[in-house]
Amino acid sequence: MLPVGRKPIVQYVVEELVANGAREVLFVTGRNKASIENHFDSDPELIRALNQGNKQDLLREVEFEELNANFFYTRQRQQRGLGDAILCAENFAGEQPFVVALGDSILGLHAHSRAVARMVELFEQRHASCVVAVEEVAREETMHYGVIHPAPEDQEGVLRVLQLVEKPSPEDAPSNYAIAGRYVFSPLIFDLLRRVQPDKRGEIQLTDAIQMLCEEGKRVLAVKLSGEERRYDIGNFPSYFETFAEFALADPVYGEGFRRALEEMLARHAVR
Ligand code: G1P
């Protein structure tokens, strides 16, 4: 529920998914995350107060009904990793392909990105079992990500994935293409997740299950994010601060004032 600019991060992620065609959204949450459910619920008292105060701009930020999506919630009862969190969605997904979006990543400034729609289209056209979004990172950063070993590009912006490694050291990284928090899966992935051995921290890694898909000869593809779709990482303080500043600078109403305040701040803090 951490905000970036005007909205909580989770709201950007939901808006991105809905803009890319999602109509049913399952949140896999944990203990003490009831604030997410409360946030997406309707709040007649807040709406009334904003109406009475003539706060039309704030009203627009809370009109979730207009998103035209249904929200569902389930809890991961133990912190057993991303793969285990995906398993919590098995009944929800049923026999259908589905999209996974990690809540610590926003794609594109103010979440304006068509990457997921492109991934879904590719998944269907190429009869893939999995499509991941990737972006290039500096070699020394590979240990923070799942990294793909790609075959040469066969279609503009699309790579066939031969292998994947979770958080490799720069020397072991098969490329500098990092998985960027968005995935499309066939329901096949659930059986593989059940076969993945927990890592040394007891976590089931999603990347290991995708690697099994590759080993079984299934088609795994990667879509490269375009420059405008870059991934804003909210999972660590330095990039959270940068993301907040960039989103605030681009705010249509308050951006200009924030820029002036920031310039004054920079002048005050200038290294002499
Ligand atoms: C997860 C995935 C990793 C991916 C990263 C960013 O790692 O396991 O493969 O590259 O998200 O999307 P985490 O940030 O949870 O450690």
Side-chain angles (χ1 to χ4, degrees), residues 152-221:
E153 195 163 323
D154 58 1
Q155 180 183 335
E156 174 78 23
V158 178
L159 300 161
R160 173 98 196 233
V161 179
L162 303 175
Q163 266 182 313
L164 311 90
V165 197
E166 183 66 11
K167 305 201 169 74
S169 62
E171 314 82 72
D172 297 333
S175 75
N176 65 334
Y177 284 111
I179 302 177
R182 298 292 182 271
Y183 309 78
V184 185
F185 286 113
S186 115
L188 266 179
I189 197 72
F190 294 118
D191 281 338
L192 299 177
L193 280 167
R194 264 187 288 274
R195 280 168 34 201
V196 168
Q197 291 302 311
D199 65 10
K200 39 186 185 306
R201 293 164 56 205
E203 298 197 346
I204 310 285
Q205 291 299 342
L206 181 57
T207 303
D208 293 349
I210 309 174
Q211 167 64 18
M212 285 181 176
L213 281 176
C214 294
E215 282 163 12
E216 293 193 355
K218 303 284 190 242
R219 185 168 290 146
V220 178
L221 301 170

Side-chain angles (χ1 to χ4, degrees), residues 82 102 104-105 144-146 166-167 179-181 183 205 207 231:
L82 178 57
L102 306 191
D104 65 356
S105 309
H144 302 301
Y145 301 100
E166 183 66 11
K167 305 201 169 74
I179 302 177
Y183 309 78
Q205 291 299 342
T207 303
R231 166 176 177 265

Side-chain angles (χ1 to χ4, degrees), residues 11-212:
Q11 191 174 330
Y12 288 104
V13 176
V14 167
E15 288 176 0
E16 174 206 324
L17 293 176
V18 173
N20 279 267
R23 292 291 167 265
E24 316 281 320
V25 180
L26 173 72
F27 296 81
V28 181
T29 68
R31 255 187 304 283
N32 305 321
K33 295 275 174 60
S35 53
I36 297 179
E37 273 175 70
N38 294 339
H39 179 73
F40 286 98
D41 206 350
S42 52
D43 188 341
E45 278 156 33
L46 176 67
I47 305 272
R48 204 173 318 123
L50 292 176
N51 263 319
Q52 280 165 0
N54 212 11
K55 302 253 167 59
Q56 302 305 327
D57 57 333
L58 293 180
L59 264 171
R60 272 194 295 279
E61 308 291 345
V62 292
E63 283 174 342
F64 305 115
E65 275 100 309
E66 290 192 3
L67 276 178
N68 187 21
N70 295 315
F71 300 124
F72 302 87
Y73 302 88
T74 190
R75 283 189 185 192
Q76 184 185 21
R77 295 175 74 184
Q78 289 172 318
Q79 294 297 316
R80 294 186 61 227
L82 178 57
D84 179 66
I86 309 296
L87 273 173
C88 297
E90 186 168 11
N91 286 334
F92 176 80
E95 300 296 311
Q96 300 291 321
F98 62 100
V99 170
V100 171
L102 306 191
D104 65 356
S105 309
I106 300 174
L107 297 195
L109 186 61
H110 292 169
H112 294 151
S113 141
R114 299 297 298 161
V116 166
R118 285 207 310 284
M119 291 164 70
V120 168
E121 200 179 279
L122 187 75
F123 179 91
E124 286 167 354
Q125 274 173 2
R126 303 274 298 269
H127 306 287
S129 295
C130 169
V131 179
V132 297
V134 291
E135 66 175 356
E136 291 190 68
V137 297
R139 271 270 160 188
E140 56 276 19
E141 298 287 315
T142 54
M143 74 284 253
H144 302 301
Y145 301 100
V147 177
I148 65 164
H149 176 194
E153 195 163 323
D154 58 1
Q155 180 183 335
E156 174 78 23
V158 178
L159 300 161
R160 173 98 196 233
V161 179
L162 303 175
Q163 266 182 313
L164 311 90
V165 197
E166 183 66 11
K167 305 201 169 74
S169 62
E171 314 82 72
D172 297 333
S175 75
N176 65 334
Y177 284 111
I179 302 177
R182 298 292 182 271
Y183 309 78
V184 185
F185 286 113
S186 115
L188 266 179
I189 197 72
F190 294 118
D191 281 338
L192 299 177
L193 280 167
R194 264 187 288 274
R195 280 168 34 201
V196 168
Q197 291 302 311
D199 65 10
K200 39 186 185 306
R201 293 164 56 205
E203 298 197 346
I204 310 285
Q205 291 299 342
L206 181 57
T207 303
D208 293 349
I210 309 174
Q211 167 64 18
M212 285 181 176

